[in-house]
Amino acid sequence: MVLIDRYGRPLLKLRIVVDSECNFNCFFCHFEGQSRHVPSLTPEDIGFAAEAAMRIGVMDFKLTGGEPLLRRDIIKIIEELSLRKPKDLSLTTNGYLLGELASRLHEAGLMRLNVSLHSLKPERYAFITGTSPKVFNKVIDGLMKAKDAGFTNIKLNMVVTRVNVDEVDDLISFAAKHGFSLQLIELMPVGYGEVNFDENYVDLNTVVKQLMERGRFLGSRVDLHNRPLLSVDGVKVEVVKNYMNPSFCAGCTTMRLTSDGWLKTCLYKPPSVRVWDLIKSRDLEGLIKAFQRANELREPNFRNTDNQLRLSNIKVRLRVG
Ligand SMILES: Nc1nc2c(ncn2[C@@H]2O[C@H](COP(=O)(O)OP(=O)(O)OP(=O)(O)O)[C@@H](O)[C@H]2O)c(=O)[nH]1
Ligand SMILES: C[S@@+](CC[C@H](N)C(=O)[O-])C[C@H]1O[C@@H](n2cnc3c(N)ncnc32)[C@H](O)[C@@H]1O
Ligand code: SF4
Ligand code: SF4
């Protein structure tokens, strides 16, 4: 069984925001649209929430944050999820603590890793992430340790802004050299990303157009946002172009479980459904109902209103006829 929302979109994936804290301070951080410095669910709570999600057909879990590797019990969280045998279990990290944790993450059952890497220039990396230039080498070391630990499917996340758009080719070369794939992410006007959006936004379509001069289109991810997949210089490049993109939202198959126990139906905006008490009291039926309710409330953020008008006109005409 899979839940379908009012716009015909299946609910396939849960992004679990495991914490609201971070050791970095990226100038664009959206913090998954959740509040800072709030309490967090325990590993057992998260496992229980995943169980309810699996009952309604969600088999794909993404751990994110804040910085998920700051949780001292991150291994236990992964074990709790892994024992329920999901189809996909992945984590997105800034990579700072990856060197220390990579082997244990792999052993605990984590299947995939996305590592944010917005620049290959230590000074610029520090500027973007609000850290010191020494941090860059630690992140690169973490990436190499993750590869050695057995992670075969590592995606580099690059949020493309005016600060780093000149490094897209360098990131492709770096990914090619080390066997990673690359995810180009358009800046989203959420959280800090909203505050400095105008001076930093780059339309990803312009970047993709240039890449297509030497790359080829492999297809779209219909399971997730209809994201285009390209092959450029032998590297798989995934395009996360969200801003003003109705096709992206039409393919939205996700919702978020925030660290303080809300089902957040969209990154950008309410509504959210509170599930903290249902999780804490282990009310499985109540939690399944809350998932169903949140799914009914899901709405695409960017929509092609012209098309929608045309569609509703057709429906009206059919009814009248
Ligand atoms: N607007 C929006 N952005 C999303 C959504 N899901 C993921 N993103 C963004 O996509 C970018 C990449 O997210 P990741 O955490 O690396 O995960 P992912 O690529 O979505 O997931 P996988 O393909 O499973 O690895 C980040 O900027 C996320 O904020 C969504 O539903 N809506
Ligand atoms: C919120 S972070 C949490 C995980 C981890 N701290 C990290 O940075 O990888 C998840 C992903 O969202 C990206 N991101 C953060 N703010 C963004 C924004 N305003 N627009 C687009 N992507 C953003 C990050 O670069 C990262 O790849
Ligand atoms: S994007 Fe990730 S690493 Fe950067 S501040 Fe946000 S949570 Fe921290
Ligand atoms: S509907 Fe909201 S959460 Fe879904 S893809 Fe669009 S912006 Fe993201």
Side-chain angles (χ1 to χ4, degrees), residues 271-303:
S272 299
V273 173
R274 186 171 152 84
V275 289
W276 178 273
D277 299 330
L278 295 169
I279 291 174
K280 289 291 175 187
S281 62
R282 300 291 186 263
D283 179 352
L284 189 62
E285 289 310 312
L287 189 53
I288 290 172
K289 283 200 183 104
F291 268 106
Q292 289 165 334
R293 179 161 162 60
N295 183 60
E296 278 160 21
L297 294 170
R298 283 204 303 141
E299 285 200 350
N301 186 50
F302 296 109
R303 304 184 214 183

Side-chain angles (χ1 to χ4, degrees), residues 15 21-24 26 28-32 63-68 92-95 114-118 157-159 183 185-194 267:
R15 290 180 71 84
E21 314 303 328
C22 191
N23 46 350
F24 284 20
C26 301
F28 45 65
C29 186
H30 61 37
F31 268 87
E32 298 288 339
L63 299 174
T64 179
E67 174 46 44
T92 302
T93 173
N94 62 29
N114 295 5
V115 182
S116 296
L117 190 65
H118 311 295
N157 276 2
M158 177 189 192
V159 176
Q183 182 148 260
I185 305 174
E186 195 174 63
L187 182 65
M188 298 176 204
V190 178
Y192 296 160
E194 186 179 15
L267 170 67

Side-chain angles (χ1 to χ4, degrees), residues 161-173:
T161 64
R162 286 197 201 158
V163 176
N164 63 355
V165 62
D166 59 337
E167 280 192 77
V168 169
D169 281 352
D170 291 345
L171 258 298
I172 290 173
S173 304

Side-chain angles (χ1 to χ4, degrees), residues 24-277:
F24 284 20
N25 193 18
C26 301
F27 72 79
F28 45 65
C29 186
H30 61 37
F31 268 87
E32 298 288 339
Q34 83 151 68
S35 314
R36 302 286 304 270
H37 313 303
V38 290
S40 295
L41 295 163
T42 66
E44 292 77 10
D45 293 339
I46 291 171
F48 176 72
E51 182 137 0
M54 290 177 91
R55 298 283 179 106
I56 45 122
V58 176
M59 304 299 285
D60 177 351
F61 298 95
K62 162 73 72 191
L63 299 174
T64 179
E67 174 46 44
L69 298 189
L70 283 183
R71 286 264 322 227
R72 284 167 189 272
D73 50 6
I74 189 67
I75 301 298
K76 177 82 180 121
I77 292 175
I78 289 163
E79 283 168 355
E80 282 287 334
L81 292 168
S82 188
L83 67 86
R84 291 174 165 90
K85 308 239 172 298
K87 220 159 72 192
D88 195 11
L89 177 55
S90 63
L91 180 146
T92 302
T93 173
N94 62 29
Y96 186 78
L97 294 170
L98 202 47
E100 284 114 274
L101 287 167
S103 293
R104 287 167 65 208
L105 291 168
H106 192 258
E107 279 159 23
L110 188 67
M111 297 175 196
R112 287 191 304 118
L113 267 176
N114 295 5
V115 182
S116 296
L117 190 65
H118 311 295
S119 172
L120 292 170
K121 301 179 182 181
E123 297 282 344
R124 185 185 273 180
Y125 179 89
F127 170 77
I128 294 171
T129 56
T131 58
S132 88
K134 277 185 285 184
V135 169
F136 174 78
N137 284 336
K138 191 165 155 67
V139 171
I140 299 296
D141 178 60
L143 264 169
M144 301 310 150
K145 294 242 167 67
K147 223 170 102 168
D148 292 346
F151 286 103
T152 52
N153 195 352
I154 298 177
K155 258 205 276 186
L156 303 177
N157 276 2
M158 177 189 192
V159 176
V160 179
T161 64
R162 286 197 201 158
V163 176
N164 63 355
V165 62
D166 59 337
E167 280 192 77
V168 169
D169 281 352
D170 291 345
L171 258 298
I172 290 173
S173 304
F174 179 81
K177 183 171 166 200
H178 297 287
F180 303 137
S181 51
L182 176 65
Q183 182 148 260
L184 298 176
I185 305 174
E186 195 174 63
L187 182 65
M188 298 176 204
V190 178
Y192 296 160
E194 186 179 15
V195 180
N196 47 46
F197 186 74
D198 290 343
E199 58 268 37
N200 288 295
Y201 176 71
V202 173
D203 184 340
L204 259 196
N205 283 337
T206 58
V207 178
V208 169
K209 218 167 140 193
Q210 283 168 16
L211 291 181
M212 282 307 288
E213 284 169 15
R214 62 176 204 273
R216 69 195 164 86
F217 178 64
L218 295 176
S220 297
R221 279 192 68 182
V222 285
D223 66 310
L224 194 61
H225 305 129
N226 301 310
R227 296 177 182 183
L229 293 172
L230 318 178
S231 171
V232 186
D233 302 343
V235 174
K236 193 159 90 178
V237 178
E238 189 164 334
V239 182
V240 180
K241 198 244 165 315
N242 167 250
Y243 185 61
M244 299 294 251
N245 185 0
S247 161
F248 191 92
C249 293
C252 180
T253 53
T254 71
M255 67 168 79
R256 286 160 172 79
L257 172 62
T258 67
S259 68
D260 55 343
W262 293 81
L263 290 175
K264 188 165 170 33
T265 58
C266 176
L267 170 67
Y268 281 71
K269 58 184 188 193
S272 299
V273 173
R274 186 171 152 84
V275 289
W276 178 273
D277 299 330

